[in-house]
Amino acid sequence: MKIAIVGTGYVGLVTGACFSEMGIDVTCVDVQQNKINSLKQGIIPIYEPGLEDMVHRNFNSGRLKFTTDLSTVINNVEVVFSAVGTPPDEDGSADLKYVLEVARTIGRTMSRYVLVVTKSTVPVGTAAKVKQAIQEELDKRGVQIDFDVASNPEFLKEGNAVDDFMKPDRVVVGVETTQAKDIMERLYKPFMMNNYRLIFTDIPSAEMIKYAANSMLATRISFMNDIANLCELVGADVNMVRKGIGADSRIGSKFLYPGCGYGGSCFPKDVKALIKTAKKNGYTMKVLKAVEEVNEEQKSILFDKLMKYFNGNIKGKQIAMWGLAFKPETDDMREATSLVLIDKIVAAGADVKVYDPVAMDECKRRIGDKVKYAQDMYDAVLDTDALLVVTEWKQYRIPSWGVIQKTMRHCVVIDGRNIYDAGELNGMGVTYMCIGRHTS
């Protein structure tokens, strides 16, 4: 089976590599010549555990190819996945210009049946627009060629994307015809050997499932952050609360961990897009608007604790920050809490020294010399007045507190991910603050 995937970003490259791993002949297409050249040389543009080896292995075997020209492969494949970006527009809605350009290119160059599958996260109704764009190009050419469209949203967690694709908890596919259903079933059959997890729906439902899923997870995070903030005020411990409600089978324990706000490429963008979709249809997503508001406020909570400890004045202070990426096992800093904190701390007159295992280059690309870059996690705290823990990388979990106490000017730790034991740190003489828990 031969397929093409347009877009070699996070979703497209993972999708292409994983399909090729199952023996499918995959051609990944991207308009950026530099990116394609780099991929051919084995240079992977994103950090994702396991992805680099998989790309190298399948490229070397000939199952995974890269090109900038969709027209050279369109008539040799059964399926074209569209995995191009859908960045938020100024009003928060998803920008579909790249999705529709792919559709028009297909309509201009196809000469036989093809199934066009939208893999990008897109608003409900996008598949209909894709279908219309392809048909308009066929009409301009004066030809009649059958084609189908489908929706196949991705549910990949950054840092675990390869495993998520190879061992999915579900695969959602929206189709209109039996032919499209049969093709998609054949394509995903290798991933379903142990447990059939393929869910077929109509196309609008498939498009909605992606937004609804991410919005539900974002809602759980913001809800727990709200609860955590209240726990601090009333003397409760959010860890105990989390365990108590998570034991309820109707609720479950996942995504009930409070912190300093969610970020990344999915949750913020998808919540905004769903709010905008509702507005366009005359409806207000009141819960999601609150979710968004809580999250934006939560990104400042570590700064607020820092300012409170220093009586509202951190001018001239040296602040260390562990973690830049929005979550562990990725270098993605889109909508990251670290960026909000850096802006606020620098604006308040303090200097920031940062360390992240993989996101240092991405930080330099985004903000340049606005902060100092440490060589390692211990270099980051040298001669500093406070440490903010922003991303819960595993290497931060059991640090050498003795070394840290000796190297910091003031051993103040503000934990944005609740990964340390307050009693243990207090016993060492460390001033410790976290979110929603007793710290003294």
Side-chain angles (χ1 to χ4, degrees), residues 257-278:
Y257 291 86
C260 51
Y262 62 76
S265 62
C266 293
F267 288 5
K269 177 171 71 71
D270 292 354
V271 168
K272 283 182 173 65
L274 194 52
I275 290 171
K276 187 62 181 179
T277 296

PDB file of all heavy atoms in Angstrom, residues 257-278:
ATOM      1  N   TYR A 257      -3.837  16.355  38.183  1.00  0.00           N
ATOM      2  CA  TYR A 257      -2.657  16.886  38.857  1.00  0.00           C
ATOM      3  C   TYR A 257      -2.594  18.403  38.682  1.00  0.00           C
ATOM      4  O   TYR A 257      -2.522  18.902  37.561  1.00  0.00           O
ATOM      5  CB  TYR A 257      -1.390  16.245  38.302  1.00  0.00           C
ATOM      6  CG  TYR A 257      -1.263  14.784  38.666  1.00  0.00           C
ATOM      7  CD1 TYR A 257      -1.872  13.799  37.888  1.00  0.00           C
ATOM      8  CD2 TYR A 257      -0.552  14.394  39.792  1.00  0.00           C
ATOM      9  CE1 TYR A 257      -1.775  12.457  38.236  1.00  0.00           C
ATOM     10  CE2 TYR A 257      -0.436  13.056  40.144  1.00  0.00           C
ATOM     11  CZ  TYR A 257      -1.049  12.094  39.362  1.00  0.00           C
ATOM     12  OH  TYR A 257      -0.950  10.774  39.709  1.00  0.00           O
ATOM     13  N   PRO A 258      -2.629  19.142  39.779  1.00  0.00           N
ATOM     14  CA  PRO A 258      -2.540  20.604  39.667  1.00  0.00           C
ATOM     15  C   PRO A 258      -1.126  21.027  39.312  1.00  0.00           C
ATOM     16  O   PRO A 258      -0.168  20.272  39.471  1.00  0.00           O
ATOM     17  CB  PRO A 258      -2.926  21.078  41.067  1.00  0.00           C
ATOM     18  CG  PRO A 258      -2.503  19.958  41.964  1.00  0.00           C
ATOM     19  CD  PRO A 258      -2.730  18.696  41.175  1.00  0.00           C
ATOM     20  N   GLY A 259      -0.987  22.238  38.820  1.00  0.00           N
ATOM     21  CA  GLY A 259       0.331  22.727  38.441  1.00  0.00           C
ATOM     22  C   GLY A 259       0.289  24.199  38.117  1.00  0.00           C
ATOM     23  O   GLY A 259      -0.601  24.933  38.576  1.00  0.00           O
ATOM     24  N   CYS A 260       1.244  24.627  37.290  1.00  0.00           N
ATOM     25  CA  CYS A 260       1.351  26.056  36.965  1.00  0.00           C
ATOM     26  C   CYS A 260       0.851  26.348  35.557  1.00  0.00           C
ATOM     27  O   CYS A 260       1.359  27.248  34.878  1.00  0.00           O
ATOM     28  CB  CYS A 260       2.785  26.537  37.159  1.00  0.00           C
ATOM     29  SG  CYS A 260       4.060  25.541  36.348  1.00  0.00           S
ATOM     30  N   GLY A 261      -0.152  25.587  35.105  1.00  0.00           N
ATOM     31  CA  GLY A 261      -0.808  25.881  33.828  1.00  0.00           C
ATOM     32  C   GLY A 261      -0.396  24.966  32.709  1.00  0.00           C
ATOM     33  O   GLY A 261       0.741  24.497  32.662  1.00  0.00           O
ATOM     34  N   TYR A 262      -1.330  24.680  31.803  1.00  0.00           N
ATOM     35  CA  TYR A 262      -1.022  23.855  30.637  1.00  0.00           C
ATOM     36  C   TYR A 262      -0.590  24.736  29.468  1.00  0.00           C
ATOM     37  O   TYR A 262      -0.911  25.920  29.395  1.00  0.00           O
ATOM     38  CB  TYR A 262      -2.214  22.972  30.237  1.00  0.00           C
ATOM     39  CG  TYR A 262      -3.473  23.709  29.828  1.00  0.00           C
ATOM     40  CD1 TYR A 262      -3.593  24.326  28.585  1.00  0.00           C
ATOM     41  CD2 TYR A 262      -4.584  23.765  30.666  1.00  0.00           C
ATOM     42  CE1 TYR A 262      -4.737  24.989  28.193  1.00  0.00           C
ATOM     43  CE2 TYR A 262      -5.750  24.420  30.288  1.00  0.00           C
ATOM     44  CZ  TYR A 262      -5.826  25.029  29.055  1.00  0.00           C
ATOM     45  OH  TYR A 262      -6.967  25.681  28.671  1.00  0.00           O
ATOM     46  N   GLY A 263       0.149  24.126  28.542  1.00  0.00           N
ATOM     47  CA  GLY A 263       0.586  24.837  27.340  1.00  0.00           C
ATOM     48  C   GLY A 263       0.646  23.866  26.184  1.00  0.00           C
ATOM     49  O   GLY A 263      -0.125  22.913  26.125  1.00  0.00           O
ATOM     50  N   GLY A 264       1.586  24.096  25.259  1.00  0.00           N
ATOM     51  CA  GLY A 264       1.746  23.197  24.132  1.00  0.00           C
ATOM     52  C   GLY A 264       0.988  23.622  22.901  1.00  0.00           C
ATOM     53  O   GLY A 264       0.372  24.687  22.848  1.00  0.00           O
ATOM     54  N   SER A 265       1.023  22.750  21.907  1.00  0.00           N
ATOM     55  CA  SER A 265       0.447  23.075  20.603  1.00  0.00           C
ATOM     56  C   SER A 265      -1.031  22.732  20.500  1.00  0.00           C
ATOM     57  O   SER A 265      -1.689  23.156  19.552  1.00  0.00           O
ATOM     58  CB  SER A 265       1.200  22.308  19.512  1.00  0.00           C
ATOM     59  OG  SER A 265       1.058  20.904  19.704  1.00  0.00           O
ATOM     60  N   CYS A 266      -1.563  21.975  21.456  1.00  0.00           N
ATOM     61  CA  CYS A 266      -2.924  21.459  21.301  1.00  0.00           C
ATOM     62  C   CYS A 266      -3.949  22.122  22.211  1.00  0.00           C
ATOM     63  O   CYS A 266      -4.880  22.764  21.739  1.00  0.00           O
ATOM     64  CB  CYS A 266      -2.940  19.947  21.529  1.00  0.00           C
ATOM     65  SG  CYS A 266      -2.066  19.008  20.271  1.00  0.00           S
ATOM     66  N   PHE A 267      -3.797  21.953  23.518  1.00  0.00           N
ATOM     67  CA  PHE A 267      -4.854  22.400  24.429  1.00  0.00           C
ATOM     68  C   PHE A 267      -5.214  23.880  24.259  1.00  0.00           C
ATOM     69  O   PHE A 267      -6.388  24.201  24.072  1.00  0.00           O
ATOM     70  CB  PHE A 267      -4.459  22.115  25.878  1.00  0.00           C
ATOM     71  CG  PHE A 267      -4.503  20.658  26.268  1.00  0.00           C
ATOM     72  CD1 PHE A 267      -4.785  19.672  25.327  1.00  0.00           C
ATOM     73  CD2 PHE A 267      -4.267  20.263  27.564  1.00  0.00           C
ATOM     74  CE1 PHE A 267      -4.814  18.328  25.674  1.00  0.00           C
ATOM     75  CE2 PHE A 267      -4.297  18.921  27.935  1.00  0.00           C
ATOM     76  CZ  PHE A 267      -4.571  17.961  26.978  1.00  0.00           C
ATOM     77  N   PRO A 268      -4.240  24.814  24.336  1.00  0.00           N
ATOM     78  CA  PRO A 268      -4.629  26.226  24.206  1.00  0.00           C
ATOM     79  C   PRO A 268      -5.300  26.537  22.867  1.00  0.00           C
ATOM     80  O   PRO A 268      -6.325  27.228  22.815  1.00  0.00           O
ATOM     81  CB  PRO A 268      -3.294  26.969  24.343  1.00  0.00           C
ATOM     82  CG  PRO A 268      -2.401  26.023  25.074  1.00  0.00           C
ATOM     83  CD  PRO A 268      -2.796  24.664  24.588  1.00  0.00           C
ATOM     84  N   LYS A 269      -4.707  26.010  21.789  1.00  0.00           N
ATOM     85  CA  LYS A 269      -5.239  26.290  20.451  1.00  0.00           C
ATOM     86  C   LYS A 269      -6.623  25.670  20.253  1.00  0.00           C
ATOM     87  O   LYS A 269      -7.522  26.314  19.693  1.00  0.00           O
ATOM     88  CB  LYS A 269      -4.260  25.764  19.402  1.00  0.00           C
ATOM     89  CG  LYS A 269      -4.718  25.920  17.949  1.00  0.00           C
ATOM     90  CD  LYS A 269      -3.601  25.564  16.990  1.00  0.00           C
ATOM     91  CE  LYS A 269      -3.294  24.085  16.969  1.00  0.00           C
ATOM     92  NZ  LYS A 269      -4.340  23.264  16.335  1.00  0.00           N
ATOM     93  N   ASP A 270      -6.794  24.442  20.711  1.00  0.00           N
ATOM     94  CA  ASP A 270      -8.053  23.742  20.475  1.00  0.00           C
ATOM     95  C   ASP A 270      -9.189  24.312  21.321  1.00  0.00           C
ATOM     96  O   ASP A 270     -10.336  24.376  20.871  1.00  0.00           O
ATOM     97  CB  ASP A 270      -7.890  22.252  20.746  1.00  0.00           C
ATOM     98  CG  ASP A 270      -6.977  21.587  19.725  1.00  0.00           C
ATOM     99  OD1 ASP A 270      -6.578  22.270  18.762  1.00  0.00           O
ATOM    100  OD2 ASP A 270      -6.656  20.395  19.900  1.00  0.00           O
ATOM    101  N   VAL A 271      -8.879  24.712  22.552  1.00  0.00           N
ATOM    102  CA  VAL A 271      -9.906  25.354  23.388  1.00  0.00           C
ATOM    103  C   VAL A 271     -10.370  26.654  22.739  1.00  0.00           C
ATOM    104  O   VAL A 271     -11.570  26.927  22.637  1.00  0.00           O
ATOM    105  CB  VAL A 271      -9.374  25.611  24.813  1.00  0.00           C
ATOM    106  CG1 VAL A 271     -10.313  26.526  25.586  1.00  0.00           C
ATOM    107  CG2 VAL A 271      -9.201  24.288  25.561  1.00  0.00           C
ATOM    108  N   LYS A 272      -9.409  27.450  22.262  1.00  0.00           N
ATOM    109  CA  LYS A 272      -9.764  28.708  21.599  1.00  0.00           C
ATOM    110  C   LYS A 272     -10.606  28.445  20.348  1.00  0.00           C
ATOM    111  O   LYS A 272     -11.596  29.148  20.088  1.00  0.00           O
ATOM    112  CB  LYS A 272      -8.496  29.476  21.204  1.00  0.00           C
ATOM    113  CG  LYS A 272      -7.784  30.193  22.330  1.00  0.00           C
ATOM    114  CD  LYS A 272      -6.572  30.960  21.802  1.00  0.00           C
ATOM    115  CE  LYS A 272      -5.926  31.830  22.869  1.00  0.00           C
ATOM    116  NZ  LYS A 272      -5.342  31.039  23.964  1.00  0.00           N
ATOM    117  N   ALA A 273     -10.200  27.454  19.562  1.00  0.00           N
ATOM    118  CA  ALA A 273     -10.902  27.173  18.313  1.00  0.00           C
ATOM    119  C   ALA A 273     -12.328  26.692  18.569  1.00  0.00           C
ATOM    120  O   ALA A 273     -13.257  27.047  17.827  1.00  0.00           O
ATOM    121  CB  ALA A 273     -10.134  26.135  17.502  1.00  0.00           C
ATOM    122  N   LEU A 274     -12.523  25.874  19.607  1.00  0.00           N
ATOM    123  CA  LEU A 274     -13.868  25.386  19.897  1.00  0.00           C
ATOM    124  C   LEU A 274     -14.767  26.507  20.404  1.00  0.00           C
ATOM    125  O   LEU A 274     -15.950  26.579  20.052  1.00  0.00           O
ATOM    126  CB  LEU A 274     -13.795  24.252  20.927  1.00  0.00           C
ATOM    127  CG  LEU A 274     -15.065  23.399  21.088  1.00  0.00           C
ATOM    128  CD1 LEU A 274     -15.566  22.881  19.748  1.00  0.00           C
ATOM    129  CD2 LEU A 274     -14.803  22.239  22.042  1.00  0.00           C
ATOM    130  N   ILE A 275     -14.194  27.403  21.199  1.00  0.00           N
ATOM    131  CA  ILE A 275     -14.948  28.585  21.649  1.00  0.00           C
ATOM    132  C   ILE A 275     -15.372  29.417  20.438  1.00  0.00           C
ATOM    133  O   ILE A 275     -16.514  29.891  20.354  1.00  0.00           O
ATOM    134  CB  ILE A 275     -14.102  29.431  22.621  1.00  0.00           C
ATOM    135  CG1 ILE A 275     -13.925  28.689  23.949  1.00  0.00           C
ATOM    136  CG2 ILE A 275     -14.736  30.800  22.852  1.00  0.00           C
ATOM    137  CD1 ILE A 275     -12.923  29.339  24.885  1.00  0.00           C
ATOM    138  N   LYS A 276     -14.444  29.571  19.475  1.00  0.00           N
ATOM    139  CA  LYS A 276     -14.739  30.366  18.283  1.00  0.00           C
ATOM    140  C   LYS A 276     -15.779  29.683  17.399  1.00  0.00           C
ATOM    141  O   LYS A 276     -16.680  30.337  16.853  1.00  0.00           O
ATOM    142  CB  LYS A 276     -13.445  30.590  17.493  1.00  0.00           C
ATOM    143  CG  LYS A 276     -13.602  31.548  16.319  1.00  0.00           C
ATOM    144  CD  LYS A 276     -14.004  32.934  16.788  1.00  0.00           C
ATOM    145  CE  LYS A 276     -14.182  33.889  15.613  1.00  0.00           C
ATOM    146  NZ  LYS A 276     -14.586  35.234  16.055  1.00  0.00           N
ATOM    147  N   THR A 277     -15.676  28.355  17.262  1.00  0.00           N
ATOM    148  CA  THR A 277     -16.659  27.614  16.470  1.00  0.00           C
ATOM    149  C   THR A 277     -18.053  27.799  17.049  1.00  0.00           C
ATOM    150  O   THR A 277     -19.031  28.007  16.318  1.00  0.00           O
ATOM    151  CB  THR A 277     -16.307  26.115  16.438  1.00  0.00           C
ATOM    152  OG1 THR A 277     -15.059  25.951  15.758  1.00  0.00           O
ATOM    153  CG2 THR A 277     -17.373  25.316  15.713  1.00  0.00           C
ATOM    154  N   ALA A 278     -18.151  27.726  18.366  1.00  0.00           N
ATOM    155  CA  ALA A 278     -19.449  27.918  19.020  1.00  0.00           C
ATOM    156  C   ALA A 278     -19.984  29.323  18.760  1.00  0.00           C
ATOM    157  O   ALA A 278     -21.171  29.507  18.442  1.00  0.00           O
ATOM    158  CB  ALA A 278     -19.318  27.669  20.519  1.00  0.00           C
TER     159      ALA A 278
END
